[in-house]
Amino acid sequence: MKFSTNLVGGMLLKRYRRFLVDARLDDGTIVTAHCPNSGTMVGCSEQGSRVMLSENSDPHRRNAYTWEMIRINKSWVGVNTQMPRKIVAQAIRDKCIPVLSNYRELFLDAEYGHAKKIDIMMHGLEQNTFVHVHHVAWAEKRIAKFPETPNARACQTLRDLTEIAEQGHRAVAFFFIQRGDCDLFSPAIDVDTEFGKIHKKAVKRGVEIIAYRGIISPEEISLGVPIPCGVD
């Protein structure tokens, strides 16, 4: 997915109030930008790092800039949590994910059960497929890990997918890794033991775990190649 406008480069000065960052642009201007990531951003918010921001000319926006990526160990890492679902949905439509290509219709934010929603639902020839997309940016020793902190919402999502699988539908937890320097994905059981337990149960009940590495650059973010899924 190409960025609609050219990104602006700068240096990260600080992140604060979860949704704000200050950055010094290449021309010396200091700006406050929106941080589209409410997580702890382990290893992805080091002061002094090279960052890229998108700019929006909407006069009604409080902050004209949005933080999109950071440079870590000579690699770009995407920090915008809104990107993975868009990229995965488009990749499915373009038939770029072979294991998710046998469908007739695709819907975003599909409802199922009682007041529940799932990121992507696909009507298939034989069964429906439900996909939830997770944003992953934390990595250690070329292993992408999720979650970076105890995550009740991620746990509930896996429970929902497990329920879907038990009802006879196809359920997929898709982990989109917004960096290209990882060779393996693993649930961070040492960080969130509950997520680890639910992840293990989900796999036993038929939930498919898929992880793809992204291709990240200041021009675009796109789907890369699948990587193995292990256990921390």
Side-chain angles (χ1 to χ4, degrees):
M1 179 174 291
K2 293 183 179 296
F3 289 99
S4 57
T5 60
N6 292 332
L7 299 189
V8 180
M11 181 180 74
L12 180 66
L13 298 179
K14 64 177 180 178
R15 180 198 181 206
Y16 55 104
R17 297 182 189 173
R18 295 174 65 195
F19 295 106
L20 296 175
V21 295
D22 285 347
R24 179 182 289 111
L25 303 184
D26 290 342
D27 65 4
T29 304
I30 294 178
V31 300
T32 297
H34 171 62
C35 175
N37 189 325
S38 62
T40 57
M41 298 183 68
V42 175
C44 296
S45 56
E46 188 73 24
Q47 293 183 15
S49 299
R50 178 76 173 164
V51 295
M52 300 299 290
L53 313 175
S54 59
E55 185 176 8
N56 191 309
S57 59
D58 185 347
H60 299 292
R61 277 178 57 107
R62 178 173 297 181
N63 302 110
Y65 293 93
T66 297
W67 183 17
E68 299 289 350
M69 59 185 66
I70 186 170
R71 191 77 167 173
I72 300 175
N73 297 328
K74 300 182 180 180
S75 296
W76 287 110
V77 177
V79 300
N80 192 334
T81 60
Q82 303 302 310
M83 295 295 284
R85 192 182 75 157
K86 297 176 183 178
I87 293 168
V88 172
Q90 189 59 53
I92 293 173
R93 292 190 181 102
D94 293 341
K95 308 296 184 183
C96 295
I97 307 175
V99 295
L100 296 177
S101 61
N102 188 24
Y103 73 95
R104 293 177 295 180
E105 296 178 288
L106 183 150
F107 304 92
L108 299 179
D109 288 325
E111 294 187 357
Y112 74 97
H114 178 64
K116 293 182 179 180
K117 286 189 175 182
I118 199 73
D119 283 342
I120 301 170
M121 182 184 75
M122 298 175 287
H123 285 167
L125 299 176
E126 298 181 356
Q127 62 179 167
N128 293 333
T129 299
F130 295 82
V131 182
H132 184 81
V133 182
H134 294 280
H135 158 84
V136 183
W138 173 35
E140 291 183 348
K141 298 179 181 179
R142 301 191 66 83
I143 300 175
K145 296 186 175 184
F146 180 91
E148 60 193 37
T149 188
N151 192 323
R153 183 173 181 273
C155 288
Q156 185 57 50
T157 297
L158 276 184
R159 291 191 189 97
D160 292 344
L161 288 173
T162 301
E163 179 182 319
I164 290 171
E166 291 174 340
Q167 293 174 353
H169 301 293
R170 188 181 179 197
V172 177
F174 196 110
F175 295 87
F176 182 78
I177 301 153
Q178 281 213 77
R179 54 194 301 160
D181 58 353
C182 300
D183 304 312
L184 177 71
F185 166 76
S186 176
I189 297 173
D190 56 335
V191 170
D192 191 341
T193 55
E194 183 66 14
F195 181 84
K197 293 176 183 177
I198 297 170
H199 179 276
K200 186 176 181 179
K201 178 181 178 181
V203 172
K204 286 184 177 180
R205 297 297 176 86
V207 176
E208 298 175 45
I209 308 298
I210 298 175
Y212 264 74
R213 191 167 59 204
I215 301 173
I216 319 296
S217 77
E219 291 72 43
E220 67 177 317
I221 298 178
S222 58
L223 196 73
V225 298
I227 63 173
C229 301
V231 176
D232 190 15

